[in-house]
Amino acid sequence: MRDLASEFFRRHPELSLAALGAADNARAMDLNPLGCKAEFFAAESHPELVALYRESNALAFPGELSLPGWVLSDLYLLPGAIGLLTCEARVLDIPVRKRLGLRPDDRAIAAAYLGAPTIHPGTFIGVSLLSLVPRVLAGAWVKALTLRMLGASRLRGVAQWQNPSVRVHTRMGPMRVVSSVPGTHEFKAKSFVYESDLSDEATWSSAMQRRYEGPIDAKIQATDHDELGRVLARAEQGERILIIPPGLDAQGRVLLRFEPS
Ligand SMILES: CC(C)(COP(=O)(O)OP(=O)(O)OC[C@H]1O[C@@H](n2cnc3c(N)ncnc32)[C@H](O)[C@@H]1OP(=O)(O)O)[C@@H](O)C(=O)NCCC(=O)NCCS
């Protein structure tokens, strides 16, 4: 993983790794994940970066999923830190840069990810994966490096079956299907809870390179919520069901393995 990470920054010298959180949280983080130096921005001293993060988040999650300011303060910045890939605004597509009101040499957020801490040591909940620079694997790398900054060994998150982010998530390895989404999530009907085991670096590294190979038992259209609902019911009853990298195929089907118990 160290070699892959340094290769990523060698290919993309325009991108820099950073973290944005309450000042006190810096000392609990690894700011040299996989040998890549991360700059820590204390949210208290960088309100302009916090505002830019919120505007960038609003571009990726408009409407119903938009991030309230109090959630950003209370649940993103205070408990931990948001992992960032930053760049000069000239790197963004011009319409995106203009919507953010940035000049070409202003600092911009290329990609971001939050790992929210949980009551289980080493387990985080992945939230708000966003990338404004498509086609360079920025989503996969901001996710991987943020999780390393946090020292995560296990990840849970909510994903939508049809979202291309499933392809990003499977760069961390196979995703175990856990359950439907508890609570009143706006996209509950088309979402699921997944878990990634981050403790085996060899598996993570193969998945990052799309070298992971595993048998596939079923391919289900990501739009087939009835069939996928049955998959969730089986997972909730304890069956071990994995989404196999790359997660979604070119026909928009979810790639699944049903593991014998
Ligand atoms: C999801 C998101 C973070 C991905 O951004 P990114 O990392 O820059 O994406 P990339 O261009 O590198 O593509 C990542 C993968 O998705 C695939 N992909 C991207 N757009 C796609 C599309 N419209 N349809 C199908 N596949 C697509 C790419 O082929 C690539 O697959 P690969 O890893 O097998 O090569 C970005 O699109 C985004 O911010 N979306 C809005 C917010 C969101 O929905 N976040 C996820 C919440 S769970």
Side-chain angles (χ1 to χ4, degrees):
M1 285 291 281
R2 290 176 84 88
D3 290 349
L4 295 176
S6 53
E7 168 63 17
F8 172 73
F9 285 109
R10 211 166 27 248
R11 266 186 287 121
H12 299 291
E14 72 281 12
L15 300 177
S16 304
L17 182 62
L20 172 66
D24 190 42
N25 298 337
R27 64 194 166 87
M29 297 178 69
D30 175 0
L31 294 175
N32 198 25
L34 298 172
C36 306
K37 195 173 156 16
E39 184 171 1
F40 187 88
F41 292 97
E44 297 87 337
S45 330
H46 292 279
E48 76 301 335
L49 189 56
V50 176
L52 176 63
Y53 170 75
R54 191 169 174 204
E55 287 157 20
S56 305
N57 183 293
L59 284 188
F61 299 98
E64 282 178 298
L65 295 189
S66 69
L67 175 64
W70 71 267
V71 175
L72 174 54
S73 298
D74 296 21
L75 298 176
Y76 283 40
L77 299 170
L78 279 168
I82 302 162
L84 303 175
L85 290 174
T86 61
C87 62
E88 287 189 347
R90 74 183 80 252
V91 172
L92 305 182
D93 286 346
I94 290 170
V96 174
R97 173 162 71 71
K98 294 227 160 116
R99 281 179 69 188
L100 291 167
L102 298 174
R103 291 185 303 264
D105 51 356
D106 286 340
R107 180 176 19 231
I109 290 172
Y113 185 65
L114 177 76
T118 75
I119 54 173
H120 303 282
T123 299
F124 291 78
I125 304 297
V127 190
S128 292
L129 174 67
L130 72 93
S131 160
L132 302 180
V133 290
R135 292 177 296 278
V136 300
L137 298 185
W141 277 108
V142 80
K143 178 169 178 171
L145 290 163
T146 302
L147 292 168
R148 293 301 290 231
M149 284 196 273
L150 297 168
S153 55
R154 193 170 71 131
L155 173 75
R156 283 194 170 188
V158 171
Q160 286 75 56
W161 296 109
Q162 272 176 276
N163 194 307
S165 67
V166 170
R167 287 187 74 101
V168 177
H169 300 320
T170 55
R171 293 249 180 207
M172 315 299 129
M175 300 158 74
R176 186 169 74 80
V177 179
V178 175
S179 66
S180 57
V181 183
T184 55
H185 191 290
E186 285 73 5
F187 290 172
K188 188 178 171 85
K190 53 184 175 181
S191 304
F192 63 102
V193 179
Y194 71 90
E195 181 175 302
S196 302
D197 176 359
L198 306 172
S199 58
D200 178 4
E201 191 162 318
T203 303
W204 196 351
S205 162
S206 328
M208 213 56 188
Q209 299 171 80
R210 287 281 186 250
R211 287 197 183 140
Y212 181 93
E213 281 174 20
I216 292 165
D217 297 322
K219 299 180 181 184
I220 302 177
Q221 278 299 334
T223 48
D224 188 347
H225 293 149
D226 290 344
E227 191 59 35
L228 290 167
R230 283 189 278 279
V231 169
L232 287 177
R234 285 169 66 174
E236 285 168 7
Q237 276 158 24
E239 192 173 340
R240 191 173 153 80
I241 302 176
L242 297 176
I243 301 179
I244 299 299
L248 286 173
D249 69 9
Q251 288 76 44
R253 295 175 301 186
V254 185
L255 310 177
L256 294 169
R257 176 156 92 233
F258 303 104
E259 288 207 328
S261 42

